[in-house]
């Protein structure tokens, strides 16, 4: 399992490739929305891209969606609302569906690292978008996508600021304690269970010794410290915002606020630039004025970190 540890991921080179604009999904006076695809580890990964009107170049926000049942997921689920808010303020937004979601190919993923690789390859592919200013990249992640974002921040990336929205714990042991380790076998069957984490993909066709190594790592406190970004926060070098509702964690698919408090304290102890915002009474997905305040704070961070002048609606 070494390749799936933080140290192993830091040794990898992510090359990406060409982002294909496959279908125009929408055209307005202010932006164009595309269904895209791009290569990641030999897979075809789909996603959504929105480009503001004009010549650019524009700063880019890479958006990482939370967990959703694959049977009901469609490209853009979990990121659409925030993407529209950001593109109207002059940001290119791009969201990967991740392997096994949307129209993407299926491939194994241990401890979310397949999804991390898909985002890293997406970042490496951004130069193929002529309007993208790849010197100004931010990242936004909700729930599972927030956990993926945290893991990515401990790697070598050009990301200059990150927003974590009701994020998964940065300590993978917390995820296993709440949801179990990955479901071994058929994905659709695993998604019906509450005893395993169907975000990981562990086909029964994998070599038995690899599955055994995965289970052994998932039950080893020592190996989990090598896998979890929480124990590698010294590698983070960009400002981070954490946003959590005080009423989150009230159902099995949500994220307890304690996870955000733990990450915030860990980043403070590591001397990092972090802000924690708690929204009274909000649950896993914010509503009303709280959501607008959250996104306004996110734009404030991105504007400052990416040297951007917000475009008024």
């Amino acid at each position: 399992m070494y390749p799936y540890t933080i140290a192993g991921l830091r040794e990898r080179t992510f090359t990406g490739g060409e982002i294909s604009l496959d279908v125009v999904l929408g055209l307005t006076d202010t932006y164009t929305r595309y269904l895209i695809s791009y290569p990641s580890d030999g897979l075809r990964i789909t996603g959504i891209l929105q480009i503001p009107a004009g010549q650019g170049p524009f700063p880019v926000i890479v958006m990482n969606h939370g967990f959703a049942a694959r049977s009901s997921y469609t490209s853009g689920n979990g990121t659409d609302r925030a993407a529209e808010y950001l593109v109207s303020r002059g940001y290119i937004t791009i969201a990967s569906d991740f392997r096994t979601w949307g129209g993407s190919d299926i491939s194994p993923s241990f401890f979310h690292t397949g999804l991390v690789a898909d985002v890293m390859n997406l970042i490496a592919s951004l130069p193929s978008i002529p309007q993208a200013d790849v010197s100004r990249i931010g990242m936004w992640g909700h729930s599972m996508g927030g956990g993926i974002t945290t893991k990515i921040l401990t790697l070598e990336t050009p990301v200059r600021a990150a927003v974590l929205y009701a994020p998964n714990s940065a300590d993978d042991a917390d995820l296993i304690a709440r949801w179990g380790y990955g479901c071994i076998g058929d994905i659709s069957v695993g998604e019906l269970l509450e005893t395993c984490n169907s975000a990981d993909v562990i086909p029964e066709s994998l070599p038995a010794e690899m599955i055994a190594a995965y289970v052994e790592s998932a039950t080893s406190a020592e190996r989990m410290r090598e896998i979890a970004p929480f124990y590698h926060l010294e590698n983070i070098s960009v400002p981070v915002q954490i946003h959590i509702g005080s009423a989150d964690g009230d159902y099995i698919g949500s994220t307890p606020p304690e996870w955000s408090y733990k990450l915030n304290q860990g980043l403070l102890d590591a001397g990092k630039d972090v802000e924690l915002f708690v929204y009274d009474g909000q649950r896993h997905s914010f509503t009303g004025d709280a959501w607008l305040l959250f996104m306004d704070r996110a734009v404030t961070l991105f504007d400052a970190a990416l040297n951007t002048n917000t475009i008024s609606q």
Side-chain angles (χ1 to χ4, degrees):
M1 288 289 109
Y2 178 76
Y4 311 105
T5 65
I6 298 299
L9 289 168
R10 285 177 64 86
E11 292 177 7
R12 282 197 57 181
T13 299
F14 300 93
T15 57
E18 187 84 11
I19 295 174
S20 173
L21 309 185
D22 295 337
V23 180
V24 176
L25 297 176
L27 178 62
T28 74
D29 291 339
T30 55
Y31 66 91
T32 305
R33 174 181 170 89
Y34 300 92
L35 179 66
I36 63 165
S37 58
Y38 68 97
S40 176
D41 293 355
L43 307 173
R44 177 180 179 270
I45 305 297
T46 57
I48 295 291
L49 167 69
Q50 296 187 131
I51 301 179
Q55 297 299 310
F58 303 105
V60 181
I61 307 299
V62 176
M63 310 191 74
N64 299 324
H65 69 78
F67 180 83
R70 295 165 179 86
S71 59
S72 59
Y73 175 88
T74 58
S75 295
N77 277 183
T79 56
D80 279 354
R81 181 169 59 150
E84 186 171 353
Y85 191 95
L86 291 165
V87 75
S88 69
R89 285 153 178 81
Y91 289 94
I92 288 175
T93 65
I94 191 164
S96 173
D97 290 329
F98 309 138
R99 59 191 66 187
T100 76
W101 274 274
S104 300
D105 290 342
I106 297 173
S107 184
S109 178
F110 304 106
F111 307 111
H112 297 166
T113 54
L115 317 185
V116 168
D118 293 340
V119 178
M120 293 294 286
N121 281 309
L122 179 61
I123 292 171
S125 303
L126 288 174
S128 66
I129 301 174
Q131 301 95 324
D133 184 345
V134 296
S135 71
R136 295 189 291 161
I137 299 173
M139 188 168 285
W140 180 105
H142 180 225
S143 193
M144 178 183 76
I148 292 167
T149 299
T150 308
K151 193 161 284 194
I152 287 169
L153 293 180
T154 66
L155 311 182
E156 294 289 339
T157 81
V159 173
R160 290 172 51 179
V163 170
L164 309 179
Y165 170 29
N168 271 8
S169 177
D171 188 342
D172 288 56
D174 291 336
L175 309 182
I176 291 171
R178 186 170 176 84
W179 295 311
Y181 53 76
C183 305
I184 298 171
D186 184 78
I187 298 172
S188 59
V189 173
E191 287 191 339
L192 299 177
L193 304 174
E194 292 188 354
T195 55
C196 58
N197 182 0
S198 55
D200 274 0
V201 181
I202 320 293
E204 289 180 318
S205 58
L206 289 172
E209 58 269 26
M210 179 170 282
I211 296 176
Y214 171 78
V215 173
E216 181 181 0
S217 294
T219 54
S220 164
E222 179 181 0
R223 181 48 62 99
M224 293 310 297
R225 291 176 68 92
E226 298 172 356
I227 287 167
F230 184 77
Y231 301 100
H232 303 269
L233 299 178
E234 71 277 3
N235 294 330
I236 295 179
S237 59
V238 303
V240 177
Q241 283 185 355
I242 306 170
H243 302 262
I244 188 69
S246 67
D248 205 341
D250 59 330
Y251 64 95
I252 190 61
S254 58
T255 54
E258 289 74 19
W259 290 354
S260 289
Y261 306 155
K262 177 178 176 177
L263 175 58
N264 179 65
Q265 190 59 55
L267 287 167
L268 289 173
D269 291 345
K272 304 305 179 180
D273 183 354
V274 60
E275 293 180 288
L276 172 67
F277 299 101
V278 181
Y279 299 78
D280 188 46
Q282 292 294 311
R283 300 174 69 226
H284 195 51
S285 294
F286 301 169
T287 60
D289 290 342
W291 187 85
L292 292 171
L293 177 59
F294 151 56
M295 287 303 301
D296 182 63
R297 286 168 166 165
V299 168
T300 297
L301 173 68
F302 289 140
D303 283 354
L306 307 182
N307 300 316
T308 303
N309 293 318
T310 294
I311 298 174
S312 299
Q313 286 184 301

